[in-house]
Amino acid sequence: MTESIAQNANFAKGELLHLIYHNEESLYTVAKIKVHETSLDLSDRELTVVGILPKLDYDVAYLFHGEMKDHPRFGKQFKAEQFRKEIPHTKQGIIHYLSSDRFPGVGHKTAEKIVETLGEQALSAILEDKSSLERVEGLKKEKADKIYATLMEEQGVEQVLLTLYEYGFGLQLAMKVYQTYKLDAMRIIEENPYKMIEDVDGIGFAKADAIGQKRGLTGNHPDRVKAAIIYVLTEQSMNEGHVFARVKDVLLAAQRLLSDRELIQETDIANCLVELGEEGKVMVEEERMYLPTLYFAEKGIVSNLHRLVTREKSVEDFPESEFLKALGNVEEKLGIEYAPSQKEAIQTALSSPVTILTGGPGTGKTTVINGLVEVYGQLKGLSVDPDDYKKDDTFPVILAAPTGRAAKRMSESTGLPASTIHRLLGFKGSQDDFEYGEHHQLEGHLIILDEMSMVDTWLANQLFKAIPDEMQVLFVGDEDQLPSVGPGQVLSDILKSEILPSAQLTAIFRQAEGSSIITFSHEIKEGKELHAIDPKSSDLRFIPCNQLQVTDAVQQICKKAIDKGFTAKDIQVLAPMYRGGAGVTALNQMLQELFNPSKEQKREVLFGDVAYRHGDVVLQLVNNPEENVYNGDRGEIVAIFTPKETEQNETMIVISFDGIEVGYSKSDLSQITHAYCCSIHKSQGSEFPIVVMPVVRSYSRMLRKNLIYTGVTRAKNFLLLCGDWSALEVAVHRTEDINRNTTLREKLKETFLEGKHQHEKSGATKD
């Protein structure tokens, strides 16, 4: 296969002259090579090679396959799609290689002995059979082991890549496999390639199965069947948000996945399912199947909520007169008068270890939070003024939210410090790697967690573990918004279990401000018939158009906003889908040219077919705890530096996230995307002065009441809808398929009911 590639594809063979750039994590490499042999029409014998490559060595020949690209700034570059390190085949070449600095302790004489004994195929012989070195007279076992280990490390990556190339893997994905397994990669590929599905991001069942088929792992082979089961279960969790899947559904889906060549019996799949359970790879409870991490996360949520609610040290009970006096002082200080429902919400939160506060937009959730903090401080005799505390002092109140934007809104509305939940818990980059947890808990007296509908099962479990017994807790959220991107529906399940006291705010207090957006959002929330939008409304508009006109309609709306002095920071276009003419990707391309068109003096960087320009509004796609930037944060490109302007000799982009400036190399740009338009899911927890939201029938697969409601409630001052009114009406009344498969609600009820019975039984025994 490799030889045919060399004949049919562009190639360049040569040695490294200068390693211009190499990123150890992403493996993105820019190198200048001296060309020995090539199929390319080159004017000189030097070539710039770019691609996902391991760190290249000097004095070694490499063979690259790929294609020439014409970079707008850096000129012609050869983009490597495959590569291999050329192993020396002559006696002198092998002696020179083995006696180099790569093999400490191997001198020229030892290298000569190895070649004399094993011949010109010495290196291949050692790689294929370590014991071949035993034939070399006088070579000690310790030195032989070192030679073999070094040779495996040197040539291991090439072996893995060449094998994966034959199975149709690209260089980037093949390098991911090698990075994951290192020297174990070949063993795993040969023995059980299906393991890559679990361990390597980007490898699905079909990719692994192609290798499995050629390795003889066909039909109902246990490794193949088990991989299909786990793949189906993982897909349902990650794509559908389910915490568990029904066993019969998994069996049927796995059978369909496996039976493209021959029929696989359901009994074979069931037997493998039992084995997976015995191995701890899946958890089966009655007719439900879970990934272990989700099963134990759900159990952890239940046990920690039970711990917090039934703790031995009860919440301090203040007399009604003290509460009313403190509340009166707060009303006077803040210049407001709390409504009865808001007073009740504050009192409930003060008198309970854990409380839930819910309500739609304009119902005064922020007002209640401010009142609670102030009253809590007065009743406890604690200052809630951050200026009264030194840097290392423990502030009594913790405010946190799932996203940076939501945390910022929380801080602005309360005047108190707030952080993301990930930052609060000391997230270190992987799912279970946090500074705070069961054995190192948070410090403080009261914790208020906003936008709880966005918190998934994994994060909720980690968060609840980190809350100490003596800390009071208030969960704040809107159960009618979209559930979390990750598995579960934690806020909804806790509410429906009715195990915690809750306060629901329903009266609309912002109504007096004449907000049509608030009224409209509550019509959606309550599932009412939508009233036609008043064309005289100052903050809400609907522009009818068909699917083909959506792009033009959004463009005209945004152009008028620009003419009135608004910028891209003020306007957020929201769409539920990425693909299609009215999808996020297409709208972003159009909006970039509108808000930030290409100009001769304006710097930009090409990443694939996407141009990032100075002044672009972008969205962070992954958590980066080291830089305090998280998935969903919105930023602006404030500087672009050329390689000549940086110490690293590479292009650098600087993005400001609300004042936090983060540098990105070109290879890091996979972490961001344009944010002129973003998905409604990505907008959760944020609020924008102007929201433009198209709603057309081509979105029908995604259109649901909670999606429309979430999008509408992102608008602070102006909401402009465009599209098909009938599609909007259908979406608002479409609530099926919203619930996810979880067992949190029933497990909470069982645990708390059992605890209540034990408490009653204990009381009766004492009597």
Side-chain angles (χ1 to χ4, degrees):
M1 175 101 183
T2 308
E3 291 304 318
S4 64
I5 290 173
Q7 292 169 9
N8 299 325
N10 289 327
F11 74 91
K13 183 190 290 187
E15 293 183 27
L16 179 65
L17 281 175
H18 178 44
L19 188 61
I20 299 169
Y21 173 71
H22 176 73
N23 186 303
E24 288 290 348
E25 291 186 11
S26 68
L27 298 181
Y28 184 77
T29 301
V30 181
K32 182 82 75 176
I33 68 165
K34 180 181 179 181
V35 179
H36 296 166
E37 184 183 344
T38 183
S39 63
L40 305 169
D41 183 15
L42 299 178
S43 58
D44 58 37
R45 306 308 288 177
E46 292 186 5
L47 180 66
T48 301
V49 176
V50 300
I52 307 301
L53 301 165
K55 192 171 183 179
L56 303 178
D57 292 320
Y58 292 93
D59 300 322
V60 175
Y62 291 92
L63 176 63
F64 302 97
H65 299 284
E67 59 180 321
M68 291 297 296
K69 296 282 187 181
D70 197 0
H71 192 282
R73 180 164 292 131
F74 304 118
K76 291 189 178 297
Q77 297 178 333
F78 188 72
K79 184 179 180 184
E81 294 170 355
Q82 296 184 359
F83 94 105
R84 74 166 184 253
K85 184 186 290 185
E86 293 288 277
I87 299 176
H89 293 294
T90 66
K91 287 186 177 182
Q92 286 304 314
I94 297 170
I95 292 169
H96 176 72
Y97 178 65
L98 288 175
S99 59
S100 69
D101 293 340
R102 297 179 185 84
F103 297 85
V106 179
H108 191 81
K109 287 185 178 180
T110 303
E112 279 185 333
K113 277 188 179 181
I114 293 171
V115 174
E116 285 172 7
T117 306
L118 302 179
E120 292 183 355
Q121 301 301 316
L123 299 181
S124 298
I126 298 168
L127 285 168
E128 290 171 10
D129 183 6
K130 177 183 175 181
S131 65
S132 62
L133 285 168
E134 294 174 6
R135 291 156 43 199
V136 180
E137 188 178 347
L139 186 64
K140 294 182 179 179
K141 185 179 183 302
E142 184 181 349
K143 188 172 286 188
D145 289 343
K146 285 184 178 179
I147 291 171
Y148 175 76
T150 304
L151 192 58
M152 282 297 295
E153 192 170 344
E154 279 273 305
Q155 301 298 331
V157 62
E158 281 76 24
Q159 283 190 302
V160 173
L161 296 183
L162 287 172
T163 300
L164 292 175
Y165 292 160
E166 292 178 6
Y167 294 117
F169 279 58
L171 179 55
Q172 187 166 0
L173 195 54
M175 282 304 304
K176 275 189 181 181
V177 175
Y178 183 75
Q179 280 183 297
T180 302
Y181 299 123
K182 300 296 183 186
L183 295 182
D184 285 332
M186 285 304 300
R187 178 182 59 80
I188 288 164
I189 292 168
E190 291 173 359
E191 294 178 4
N192 184 8
Y194 297 101
K195 193 174 188 306
M196 293 189 293
I197 299 171
E198 300 175 55
D199 300 336
V200 185
D201 186 34
I203 295 184
F205 182 81
K207 206 81 173 173
D209 199 35
I211 300 177
Q213 294 288 331
K214 292 185 179 181
R215 294 287 179 188
L217 307 179
T218 59
N220 63 354
H221 191 285
D223 288 342
R224 182 172 186 256
V225 176
K226 289 176 184 178
I229 292 170
I230 291 176
Y231 178 76
V232 167
L233 185 57
T234 303
E235 286 291 291
Q236 291 211 13
S237 296
M238 300 310 297
N239 293 343
E240 306 296 330
H242 298 310
V243 171
F244 73 85
R246 303 191 188 284
V247 171
K248 63 178 182 180
D249 294 339
V250 174
L251 293 177
L252 286 172
Q255 189 176 37
R256 285 195 297 271
L257 190 63
L258 292 162
S259 299
D260 55 339
R261 296 175 180 85
E262 56 183 299
L263 181 64
I264 309 298
Q265 298 299 320
E266 191 174 321
T267 52
D268 292 331
I269 304 173
N271 290 336
C272 285
L273 173 57
V274 171
E275 289 183 22
L276 283 171
E278 291 171 349
E279 295 165 5
K281 297 286 184 68
V282 300
M283 306 299 294
V284 179
E285 191 176 71
E286 297 176 358
E287 288 302 309
R288 300 183 293 259
M289 191 190 310
Y290 305 75
L291 292 172
T293 56
L294 286 171
Y295 177 79
F296 290 112
E298 211 175 57
K299 288 190 72 172
I301 291 171
V302 174
S303 62
N304 281 293
L305 273 179
H306 189 261
R307 169 182 62 84
L308 291 169
V309 170
T310 60
R311 61 197 185 189
E312 289 184 13
K313 186 179 178 182
S314 60
V315 175
E316 191 172 349
D317 189 17
F318 294 100
E320 180 88 4
S321 58
E322 286 189 31
F323 166 71
L324 292 174
K325 181 182 177 182
L327 187 67
N329 292 338
V330 171
E331 287 180 321
E332 187 174 341
K333 176 183 175 181
L334 300 180
I336 62 171
E337 183 178 348
Y338 288 103
S341 61
Q342 294 175 321
K343 289 180 181 178
E344 185 179 342
I346 294 171
Q347 192 166 21
T348 301
L350 283 167
S351 59
S352 309
V354 187
T355 312
I356 302 177
L357 174 67
T358 66
T363 57
K365 295 194 296 292
T366 300
T367 305
V368 169
I369 291 172
N370 285 329
L372 171 63
V373 170
E374 291 287 346
V375 172
Y376 185 89
Q378 289 202 23
L379 291 174
K380 293 282 189 177
L382 297 167
S383 169
V384 290
D385 184 349
D387 293 337
D388 291 339
Y389 294 83
K390 296 178 182 177
K391 184 179 179 181
D392 295 328
D393 290 344
T394 299
F395 192 68
V397 181
I398 297 173
L399 302 183
T403 67
R405 298 280 295 187
K408 185 183 179 187
R409 282 174 55 204
M410 206 178 184
S411 182
E412 288 172 347
S413 62
T414 61
L416 301 176
S419 76
T420 63
I421 295 173
H422 281 90
R423 186 183 181 194
L424 173 69
L425 298 177
F427 178 63
K428 296 179 181 177
S430 62
Q431 185 176 293
D432 56 354
D433 195 3
F434 292 85
E435 180 183 351
Y436 290 94
E438 183 179 3
H439 302 296
H440 182 202
Q441 294 182 316
L442 300 167
E443 295 180 9
H445 298 268
L446 171 68
I447 184 168
I448 301 174
L449 300 152
D450 201 6
E451 299 286 358
M452 274 299 294
S453 64
M454 296 178 64
V455 177
D456 65 30
T457 301
W458 284 311
L459 184 57
N461 178 44
Q462 187 65 39
L463 174 63
F464 296 174
K465 283 194 293 187
I467 299 174
D469 289 354
E470 63 273 11
M471 188 178 284
Q472 280 185 260
V473 184
L474 176 65
F475 298 133
V476 183
D478 186 344
E479 72 276 20
D480 291 310
Q481 287 189 25
L482 285 168
S484 56
V485 174
Q489 46 189 23
V490 175
L491 177 66
S492 176
D493 281 344
I494 296 175
L495 273 169
K496 290 175 181 175
S497 71
E498 299 180 340
I499 54 101
L500 296 180
S502 63
Q504 185 176 18
L505 302 176
T506 55
I508 305 173
F509 295 100
R510 259 196 271 169
Q511 187 66 43
E513 300 173 17
S515 173
S516 299
I517 300 172
I518 299 293
T519 305
F520 187 65
S521 64
H522 279 270
E523 285 182 3
I524 297 171
K525 182 182 177 75
E526 294 161 21
K528 294 179 177 179
E529 290 297 322
L530 296 180
H531 290 95
I533 294 173
D534 185 350
K536 296 179 181 178
S537 170
S538 61
D539 62 351
L540 178 61
R541 289 276 195 280
F542 183 86
I543 295 95
C545 63
N546 63 41
Q547 181 181 328
L548 297 176
Q549 297 169 323
V550 162
T551 301
D552 289 339
V554 172
Q555 187 178 43
Q556 289 176 29
I557 291 168
C558 292
K559 192 173 185 309
K560 287 181 180 178
I562 293 171
D563 293 341
K564 292 181 179 179
F566 293 103
T567 69
K569 291 181 181 179
D570 305 314
I571 304 167
Q572 182 63 67
V573 179
L574 299 178
M577 297 175 70
Y578 283 87
R579 295 179 181 177
V584 171
T585 303
L587 289 172
N588 258 324
Q589 290 173 351
M590 178 273 292
L591 291 166
Q592 184 193 28
E593 292 307 316
L594 179 66
F595 284 106
N596 194 26
S598 177
K599 294 180 181 177
E600 189 175 339
Q601 298 82 9
K602 183 171 288 186
R603 290 188 172 186
E604 68 176 46
V605 174
L606 278 178
F607 185 70
D609 58 356
V610 178
Y612 289 103
R613 297 174 190 143
H614 184 277
D616 270 345
V617 179
V618 295
L619 191 74
Q620 179 77 9
L621 298 175
V622 297
N623 290 321
N624 186 353
E626 290 182 5
E627 299 288 357
N628 192 26
V629 176
Y630 296 91
N631 184 3
D633 286 354
R634 203 168 182 247
E636 180 187 357
I637 297 176
V638 293
I640 296 177
F641 297 103
T642 66
K644 292 180 180 179
E645 298 170 328
T646 64
E647 292 181 4
Q648 300 88 348
N649 290 319
E650 61 176 311
T651 300
M652 292 293 293
I653 291 178
V654 180
I655 302 174
S656 174
F657 295 92
D658 293 324
I660 299 172
E661 291 194 349
V662 181
Y664 291 75
S665 66
K666 189 173 179 180
S667 60
D668 295 329
L669 295 183
S670 59
Q671 298 179 17
I672 64 168
T673 187
H674 284 116
Y676 299 105
C677 178
C678 76
S679 70
I680 295 174
H681 273 94
K682 287 287 186 186
S683 74
Q684 279 182 276
S686 300
E687 193 175 58
F688 309 96
I690 301 172
V691 166
V692 181
M693 193 167 81
V695 183
V696 290
R697 289 194 176 275
S698 63
Y699 297 151
S700 59
R701 187 172 62 85
M702 296 289 293
L703 293 181
R704 296 286 189 280
K705 172 186 167 181
N706 57 359
L707 184 129
I708 296 296
Y709 176 70
T710 301
V712 166
T713 53
R714 300 309 94 203
K716 185 177 182 181
N717 301 324
F718 301 99
L719 172 64
L720 298 113
L721 299 164
C722 60
D724 186 340
W725 183 263
S726 63
L728 183 64
E729 289 182 314
V730 168
V732 167
H733 294 98
R734 192 175 177 190
T735 58
E736 74 274 15
D737 302 328
I738 289 176
N739 285 330
R740 298 175 168 189
N741 291 339
T742 73
T743 38
L744 180 59
R745 177 184 174 186
E746 63 184 72
K747 285 177 178 175
L748 283 168
K749 294 185 84 165
E750 286 172 7
T751 300
F752 278 77
L753 187 62
E754 182 182 343
K756 182 180 178 183
H757 287 164
Q758 288 180 350
H759 180 73
E760 290 173 350
K761 187 176 180 180
S762 173
T765 304
K766 288 179 182 178
D767 290 343

